[in-house]
Amino acid sequence: MSVDTQAIANGLRQRDPELLDLLIEQFQHRLFRYLVFLTGDQALSEDLFQETWIRVMERGHQYNAKSKFESWLFAIARNLVIDVSRRKKMRSLEELADPESNQPFEPPDLQGVSALQMLVARENEQAIQLSLLKIPAYYREVLLLRFHEELGLEEIAAVLATPISTVKSRLYRGLTALKNALPESAPRGAA
Amino acid sequence: MSDNLHTRAQQLLAQSLIEGITAADDAWLRKHLEDCQECREHAAATNNLLRALRAVPIEVPRDLAARTQMRVRLRAQETAGASRSGLVLWSLTAMSWLLGVMSAPLVWRAFAWVGEEFRVPKLALEMGFVLWWTIPALFAVAAVLHQRGVASNAKRF
């Protein structure tokens, strides 16, 4: 059962436990997938998943129903990922906060992302999915939000707290990066 | 067919996925894809790429939602408890401040009487009067800071 945004805003303002339970059930797959895409770490994603919902409960009064609930939810999760990456000095994730300040990206060593590797390694589309691990988290993030979550450009901009032009630029570059990260044997797409 | 046409087709293909294209561009792209096998393969490969992206199998641990629901409820109860005790603390502080203001003339007279009876220097009397006012407020501030410290420790994970 889905709940409309105004009902969500009203319920969150009252810290309605039934509503929170329902939202956790309803958005668990999308939120967890987003966190795993960002962090590449299942255990960390579980912690962040719980912490995200605690923040939703504590700051529910700030949700004004003008945007989709999932955009607000992803923005909270993203800020938590950035906070944690700063605390734990996870450089690859800290770049989420300011990716434009980076040097040109270098594909990370696949050994270092074994958790996500295990999650995405499946038979037929394995090559393409593994190539996701080779591109920076801030490209993975926009690709997920656009092509998996099917959020609009404005909604992605709200999640990332960046201008739409930046979102577009990351999407174009992300598609190119994904194409370039594919192994020679895999089919390559336009980007 | 010139390279420019292929480049344009591939740019439009990416643009159609990311921000959409005009009807005229869409018609041009469709026509080009009908005539150009290379770009058609490119388009198919891009679709495969996005299909694979959508198919990334990430499963939520079976009990994660239940654990989260329980943790959120517990935190909600803790926060509600802290909020109630905070309200009590602020109410008591406000009441003590009000009583302090109302009783100030009486207290000042009492201090003056003690000063005359025991010949206490005026400076000591004034300092005593100031302390009479500030010490309860300092206790209240310390209690609030302590409560906030406890709350922020509980939030850490």
Side-chain angles (χ1 to χ4, degrees), chain B residues 19-48:
Chain B
E19 51 187 316
I21 52 177
T22 63
D25 282 339
D26 187 53
W28 182 90
L29 181 61
R30 283 171 189 274
K31 177 78 176 62
H32 179 83
L33 292 180
E34 278 175 16
D35 301 337
C36 175
Q37 189 181 345
E38 185 188 331
C39 288
R40 208 164 43 241
E41 285 172 3
H42 229 93
T46 303
N47 286 334
N48 287 340

Short mmCIF file of all heavy atoms in Angstrom, two decimals, chain B residues 19-48:
data_model
loop_
_atom_site.label_atom_id
_atom_site.label_comp_id
_atom_site.label_asym_id
_atom_site.label_seq_id
_atom_site.Cartn_x
_atom_site.Cartn_y
_atom_site.Cartn_z
N GLU B 19 17.89 13.39 -20.79
CA GLU B 19 17.03 14.57 -20.61
C GLU B 19 15.93 14.67 -21.65
O GLU B 19 15.13 15.62 -21.61
CB GLU B 19 17.89 15.84 -20.61
CG GLU B 19 18.83 15.94 -21.79
CD GLU B 19 19.78 17.13 -21.66
OE1 GLU B 19 19.31 18.21 -21.30
OE2 GLU B 19 20.97 16.96 -21.94
N GLY B 20 15.87 13.71 -22.58
CA GLY B 20 14.84 13.75 -23.60
C GLY B 20 15.26 14.58 -24.80
O GLY B 20 16.14 15.44 -24.69
N ILE B 21 14.63 14.30 -25.95
CA ILE B 21 14.95 15.05 -27.17
C ILE B 21 13.65 15.51 -27.83
O ILE B 21 12.57 15.03 -27.50
CB ILE B 21 15.77 14.19 -28.17
CG1 ILE B 21 15.08 12.84 -28.45
CG2 ILE B 21 17.17 13.96 -27.66
CD1 ILE B 21 15.80 11.99 -29.48
N THR B 22 13.79 16.45 -28.75
CA THR B 22 12.60 16.98 -29.42
C THR B 22 12.04 15.92 -30.38
O THR B 22 12.75 14.97 -30.76
CB THR B 22 12.95 18.24 -30.24
OG1 THR B 22 13.88 17.85 -31.26
CG2 THR B 22 13.57 19.31 -29.35
N ALA B 23 10.80 16.16 -30.79
CA ALA B 23 10.15 15.22 -31.72
C ALA B 23 10.93 15.15 -33.03
O ALA B 23 11.09 14.07 -33.61
CB ALA B 23 8.71 15.66 -31.97
N ALA B 24 11.44 16.31 -33.48
CA ALA B 24 12.19 16.34 -34.74
C ALA B 24 13.47 15.51 -34.62
O ALA B 24 13.81 14.72 -35.51
CB ALA B 24 12.52 17.78 -35.11
N ASP B 25 14.17 15.70 -33.50
CA ASP B 25 15.40 14.92 -33.28
C ASP B 25 15.09 13.43 -33.16
O ASP B 25 15.84 12.58 -33.64
CB ASP B 25 16.11 15.40 -32.01
CG ASP B 25 16.86 16.70 -32.23
OD1 ASP B 25 17.16 17.01 -33.41
OD2 ASP B 25 17.14 17.40 -31.24
N ASP B 26 13.97 13.15 -32.50
CA ASP B 26 13.58 11.75 -32.33
C ASP B 26 13.31 11.10 -33.69
O ASP B 26 13.74 9.98 -33.97
CB ASP B 26 12.33 11.68 -31.43
CG ASP B 26 11.97 10.24 -31.09
OD1 ASP B 26 12.87 9.52 -30.60
OD2 ASP B 26 10.83 9.83 -31.33
N ALA B 27 12.60 11.85 -34.54
CA ALA B 27 12.30 11.32 -35.88
C ALA B 27 13.60 11.11 -36.67
O ALA B 27 13.77 10.07 -37.33
CB ALA B 27 11.39 12.31 -36.62
N TRP B 28 14.50 12.08 -36.56
CA TRP B 28 15.79 11.96 -37.28
C TRP B 28 16.55 10.73 -36.78
O TRP B 28 17.10 9.95 -37.57
CB TRP B 28 16.62 13.23 -37.07
CG TRP B 28 17.92 13.17 -37.82
CD1 TRP B 28 18.15 13.60 -39.08
CD2 TRP B 28 19.15 12.61 -37.36
NE1 TRP B 28 19.44 13.34 -39.45
CE2 TRP B 28 20.09 12.72 -38.41
CE3 TRP B 28 19.56 12.01 -36.17
CZ2 TRP B 28 21.40 12.28 -38.30
CZ3 TRP B 28 20.86 11.56 -36.06
CH2 TRP B 28 21.77 11.70 -37.12
N LEU B 29 16.56 10.56 -35.44
CA LEU B 29 17.30 9.44 -34.85
C LEU B 29 16.72 8.09 -35.31
O LEU B 29 17.45 7.18 -35.68
CB LEU B 29 17.26 9.55 -33.32
CG LEU B 29 18.01 8.46 -32.55
CD1 LEU B 29 19.50 8.47 -32.88
CD2 LEU B 29 17.81 8.64 -31.03
N ARG B 30 15.39 8.00 -35.30
CA ARG B 30 14.75 6.75 -35.72
C ARG B 30 15.10 6.42 -37.17
O ARG B 30 15.42 5.28 -37.49
CB ARG B 30 13.21 6.86 -35.60
CG ARG B 30 12.72 6.74 -34.19
CD ARG B 30 11.21 7.08 -34.13
NE ARG B 30 10.78 7.17 -32.77
CZ ARG B 30 10.38 6.13 -32.04
NH1 ARG B 30 10.40 4.92 -32.56
NH2 ARG B 30 9.99 6.29 -30.79
N LYS B 31 15.05 7.44 -37.99
CA LYS B 31 15.35 7.23 -39.41
C LYS B 31 16.81 6.78 -39.56
O LYS B 31 17.11 5.84 -40.31
CB LYS B 31 15.11 8.57 -40.16
CG LYS B 31 15.44 8.54 -41.64
CD LYS B 31 14.32 7.84 -42.41
CE LYS B 31 14.53 7.86 -43.91
NZ LYS B 31 15.73 7.17 -44.36
N HIS B 32 17.68 7.45 -38.79
CA HIS B 32 19.11 7.10 -38.89
C HIS B 32 19.34 5.65 -38.43
O HIS B 32 20.10 4.92 -39.06
CB HIS B 32 19.94 8.07 -38.04
CG HIS B 32 21.40 7.76 -38.06
ND1 HIS B 32 22.25 8.19 -39.08
CD2 HIS B 32 22.18 7.04 -37.20
CE1 HIS B 32 23.47 7.74 -38.85
NE2 HIS B 32 23.47 7.05 -37.71
N LEU B 33 18.68 5.28 -37.35
CA LEU B 33 18.87 3.92 -36.83
C LEU B 33 18.36 2.86 -37.82
O LEU B 33 18.91 1.77 -37.90
CB LEU B 33 18.16 3.76 -35.48
CG LEU B 33 18.77 4.54 -34.31
CD1 LEU B 33 17.97 4.29 -33.03
CD2 LEU B 33 20.22 4.18 -34.08
N GLU B 34 17.31 3.23 -38.56
CA GLU B 34 16.82 2.29 -39.58
C GLU B 34 17.87 2.03 -40.65
O GLU B 34 18.02 0.90 -41.13
CB GLU B 34 15.56 2.86 -40.25
CG GLU B 34 14.29 2.64 -39.45
CD GLU B 34 13.11 3.33 -40.10
OE1 GLU B 34 13.20 3.72 -41.28
OE2 GLU B 34 12.10 3.51 -39.39
N ASP B 35 18.61 3.10 -40.98
CA ASP B 35 19.55 3.00 -42.10
C ASP B 35 20.95 2.57 -41.67
O ASP B 35 21.74 2.15 -42.52
CB ASP B 35 19.68 4.36 -42.81
CG ASP B 35 18.34 4.82 -43.33
OD1 ASP B 35 17.48 3.94 -43.54
OD2 ASP B 35 18.14 6.04 -43.49
N CYS B 36 21.28 2.71 -40.38
CA CYS B 36 22.68 2.53 -39.96
C CYS B 36 22.80 1.36 -38.97
O CYS B 36 22.35 1.45 -37.83
CB CYS B 36 23.20 3.82 -39.31
SG CYS B 36 24.85 3.66 -38.65
N GLN B 37 23.42 0.32 -39.42
CA GLN B 37 23.54 -0.87 -38.56
C GLN B 37 24.45 -0.61 -37.36
O GLN B 37 24.18 -1.06 -36.25
CB GLN B 37 24.07 -2.05 -39.37
CG GLN B 37 23.97 -3.34 -38.57
CD GLN B 37 24.51 -4.54 -39.31
OE1 GLN B 37 24.71 -4.49 -40.52
NE2 GLN B 37 24.73 -5.62 -38.59
N GLU B 38 25.52 0.14 -37.61
CA GLU B 38 26.49 0.42 -36.54
C GLU B 38 25.80 1.15 -35.37
O GLU B 38 25.95 0.76 -34.20
CB GLU B 38 27.62 1.28 -37.09
CG GLU B 38 28.74 1.53 -36.11
CD GLU B 38 29.75 2.55 -36.64
OE1 GLU B 38 29.91 2.65 -37.87
OE2 GLU B 38 30.36 3.23 -35.80
N CYS B 39 25.03 2.17 -35.70
CA CYS B 39 24.35 2.93 -34.64
C CYS B 39 23.23 2.11 -34.00
O CYS B 39 22.93 2.26 -32.82
CB CYS B 39 23.81 4.25 -35.19
SG CYS B 39 25.13 5.43 -35.54
N ARG B 40 22.61 1.25 -34.84
CA ARG B 40 21.56 0.38 -34.30
C ARG B 40 22.16 -0.55 -33.24
O ARG B 40 21.59 -0.77 -32.17
CB ARG B 40 20.94 -0.42 -35.44
CG ARG B 40 19.52 -0.80 -35.17
CD ARG B 40 18.74 -1.24 -36.39
NE ARG B 40 19.45 -2.13 -37.29
CZ ARG B 40 19.73 -1.83 -38.57
NH1 ARG B 40 19.39 -0.66 -39.07
NH2 ARG B 40 20.36 -2.70 -39.33
N GLU B 41 23.33 -1.09 -33.55
CA GLU B 41 24.02 -1.97 -32.58
C GLU B 41 24.39 -1.19 -31.32
O GLU B 41 24.29 -1.68 -30.20
CB GLU B 41 25.27 -2.59 -33.22
CG GLU B 41 24.94 -3.70 -34.20
CD GLU B 41 26.16 -4.18 -34.97
OE1 GLU B 41 27.27 -3.67 -34.69
OE2 GLU B 41 26.00 -5.06 -35.83
N HIS B 42 24.80 0.05 -31.55
CA HIS B 42 25.14 0.92 -30.43
C HIS B 42 23.93 1.13 -29.52
O HIS B 42 24.05 1.06 -28.29
CB HIS B 42 25.59 2.28 -30.99
CG HIS B 42 26.86 2.73 -30.41
ND1 HIS B 42 28.08 2.50 -30.97
CD2 HIS B 42 27.12 3.43 -29.27
CE1 HIS B 42 29.03 3.02 -30.23
NE2 HIS B 42 28.48 3.58 -29.19
N ALA B 43 22.80 1.40 -30.14
CA ALA B 43 21.56 1.63 -29.37
C ALA B 43 21.18 0.38 -28.60
O ALA B 43 20.80 0.45 -27.42
CB ALA B 43 20.44 2.05 -30.30
N ALA B 44 21.29 -0.78 -29.25
CA ALA B 44 20.94 -2.03 -28.59
C ALA B 44 21.88 -2.29 -27.41
O ALA B 44 21.44 -2.72 -26.33
CB ALA B 44 21.01 -3.18 -29.58
N ALA B 45 23.16 -2.00 -27.62
CA ALA B 45 24.13 -2.22 -26.56
C ALA B 45 23.87 -1.30 -25.37
O ALA B 45 24.00 -1.69 -24.20
CB ALA B 45 25.54 -2.00 -27.09
N THR B 46 23.48 -0.07 -25.69
CA THR B 46 23.15 0.87 -24.60
C THR B 46 21.96 0.36 -23.80
O THR B 46 21.95 0.41 -22.57
CB THR B 46 22.83 2.27 -25.16
OG1 THR B 46 23.96 2.70 -25.91
CG2 THR B 46 22.56 3.25 -24.05
N ASN B 47 20.95 -0.13 -24.52
CA ASN B 47 19.78 -0.67 -23.82
C ASN B 47 20.16 -1.86 -22.95
O ASN B 47 19.66 -2.02 -21.84
CB ASN B 47 18.70 -1.08 -24.83
CG ASN B 47 18.03 0.14 -25.40
OD1 ASN B 47 17.99 1.20 -24.77
ND2 ASN B 47 17.50 0.03 -26.62
N ASN B 48 21.06 -2.71 -23.48
CA ASN B 48 21.53 -3.85 -22.68
C ASN B 48 22.23 -3.36 -21.40
O ASN B 48 22.05 -3.93 -20.33
CB ASN B 48 22.51 -4.71 -23.47
CG ASN B 48 21.79 -5.51 -24.53
OD1 ASN B 48 20.59 -5.72 -24.44
ND2 ASN B 48 22.53 -5.96 -25.54
#
